[in-house]
Amino acid sequence: MKKWVLLLALLSPSVARAELVTPQFTQGSMNSTTTTVQEVTEEITTTTYGSALNSWSGDNITHSSASSGGITDSDSIFTMTTAGSDFSLEVITRAASQVLSVTEIEREIETTSTTVSLSVFSQ
């Protein structure tokens, strides 16, 4: 008999009822803090290219060229201004697009930002 009562209790439909919930607070607040860290690594490479250059400089030296073509012409002549005196001569010849310098910069940038917010609410 007990088995039948238990089986009848399990098989009979039951009704579920919800309770009405009323909040028990009248006001409140909430704090929120967000911190963000950003790391940036930069690598900058700068290459400087030169233009074609033909120049000379010196002390106690003169330059002449019958064709007036410059110091790279085959008829270019450098002579001492005062024979027997000290002299110096520097001739610079550079082709176009020659690399003059390469600059490499590596740096790391770290940025930290913090946001604090306050929310106040009431019923």
Side-chain angles (χ1 to χ4, degrees), residues 48-54 93-98 100:
T48 304
Y49 296 91
S51 60
L53 176 65
N54 296 306
T93 303
R94 179 178 67 217
S97 301
Q98 186 175 1
L100 297 180

Side-chain angles (χ1 to χ4, degrees), residues 100-120:
L100 297 180
S101 67
V102 176
T103 305
E104 294 179 352
I105 300 171
E106 292 183 20
R107 62 183 173 191
E108 292 183 8
I109 301 169
E110 183 175 309
T111 305
T112 303
S113 64
T114 302
T115 303
V116 178
S117 62
L118 171 65
S119 298
V120 178

Side-chain angles (χ1 to χ4, degrees), residues 43-62:
E43 294 182 12
I44 303 168
T45 302
T46 304
T47 305
T48 304
Y49 296 91
S51 60
L53 176 65
N54 296 306
S55 68
W56 71 277
S57 64
D59 293 323
N60 195 25
I61 295 288
T62 56

